[in-house]
Structures are given as structure tokens and as C-alpha cells.
Amino acid sequence: MRWIGTSFKMTKTIAESAAYAARLREAVGPEAPAGVRPFVIPPATAIDTVARTLGAGSPVLVGAQNAHWADGGPWTGEISMPQAADAGAALVELGHSERRTHFAETDATVRRKVRAALRHGLIPLVCVGEDAPTFAAGGSADHVVAQALAALGGSADTGTVLLAYEPVWAIGDAGRPATPAEIAAPVAALRDAVGDRVAGVLYGGSVAPENAADLLGVPGVDGLFVGRAAWRVEGFLRLLDIAAGR
Ligand code: 13P
């Protein structure tokens, strides 16, 4: 299975998210291309709208960009896994580097959130990735394996978890795309360490139509997790086509 997903991060109004979802529904139809599993992760304000616009039974999964480990209570500013699911999320992104860097997300909090997501039937999409100094020092594989092991813990029920390998130095406007050669070893290390315990290993960081096929060709890569290149729906549709071999 090739998972192709995008996070809108902190972009798009409800109306913009709805327009994106409507176009996606129209273009994808009732069945995704064979072997391709699309997902979209709008801002929390638009999860409900995107899920309703895509409609029940859509082949496009909807996700949340984050959710708390507690089921409810005095956690101002947070949403819980049950609330994310109630809004229409089937998947929850956890531990993105922007959350680790700016919002004090740690391996320990990611682990608690993975537990909570699984408890509520959400697919955890756990982001792992090394920073530039770790990459330069040759520590990428060890770093991401440690993050993945911490997120999964010793639990036996992690078979729905998706991992996204996102080198921090490859993400966003300040990043540069990783090459297939650069991601091969960290991806192989993740597969060796936890491949039989998760549903897939995705790559993310400056993915674009120009590099998508090559990145998908790296052994062990089960999909792509995309930011900017998929924020216009045409970009996302192009990536779905590439994943489908069209
Ligand atoms: P970009 O594709 O914009 O580099 O973002 C990747 C990412 O962080 C996906 O979560």
C-alpha cells in the first residue's frame, strides 16, 4: 500500500478546506487508485467540514494534526482523541518536529498519545526525524530508531501505526529535499527495528512531483507525507497519480 497524505499545518480557512475536499472528492471518486491510500490532515477547525464534505465511505482518510493523551478534562487549548474522532478523524498525527521543537513534545508525550490514539481506534501517524547536526554526524538511523521505539514502547497492539520519517533539515521553506540515497539507511533501520510492528513507513520533507517517484522507489518506503506541494489540490492529485504509476 502507498500512503499519500498531506497536512495543511496552520493554513486554510474552513471554506478553503471545504473547497479542497470537494475537489478531491470529485477527482478521486468512490475508490482511490489501486494500491494508494490518500489522507488529508486539515487544521482542527476544519476536520468536521472536510470529513463531511468527503462523505462517509470516502477512500480519503481525514486526520488531526495533534491530540491530547487524556480523554477529557482541564487541558485548555487541547483536543482529545475522542473529540478528534467525533469530528471525523480516522488518523492522528503525532510528534511532528514542529511540535517537538515549538511545543515541547517529547518521546514520552508522543508515547502517551500513541497509547490514547490506539485506545480510541485512531491510526497514529508518528513523525520521527533527526536535525541537521545529527545528520551531519552520521547519527540519523540511530536517532529515528530510538524515537520510533520510544513511541511504540513494548506494546503488541501497534499494527495500525504509521511512521513518517521526516528529516528536520528537509522540512519546509528552510529545508532541502532529501535524496533517495540519504533516506535509504534510516528507512532500512526503521524497517529492521520496527517494520513488523507497524503498518508502514512514509517519507516526508520537501516532497514534490519532481522527486516523488524516486522517493517512493526507495526500498521500505510505503508512502509520502507532504506539506507545501499538496496545499493546492492539484498538487495532491498529481502526487496520487504518481503513486498510482500514472
Ligand atoms: P513540506 O512538504 O512542506 O516540506 O512539509 C513536510 C511536512 O512536514 C509534512 O508533515
Side-chain angles (χ1 to χ4, degrees), residues 5-7 9 41 93 96-98 125 127 164 166 170-173 175 203-208 225-231:
T6 181
S7 162
K9 305 195 182 186
I41 309 185
E93 178 183 355
H96 189 279
S97 69
E98 288 150 18
L125 171 63
C127 301
E166 300 209 331
I171 295 173
D173 287 331
Y203 168 78
S206 295
V207 170
F225 188 28
V226 190
R228 292 157 298 156
W231 287 350

Side-chain angles (χ1 to χ4, degrees), residues 128-193:
V128 298
E130 81 287 0
D131 61 13
T134 306
F135 171 71
S140 307
D142 287 350
H143 184 86
V144 298
V145 166
Q147 285 181 320
L149 288 171
L152 299 179
S155 313
D157 61 350
T158 58
T160 60
V161 173
L162 294 169
L163 295 176
Y165 170 45
E166 300 209 331
V168 178
W169 46 269
I171 295 173
D173 287 331
R176 66 146 178 101
T179 64
E182 287 168 335
I183 74 168
V187 168
L190 284 170
R191 291 221 82 100
D192 281 353

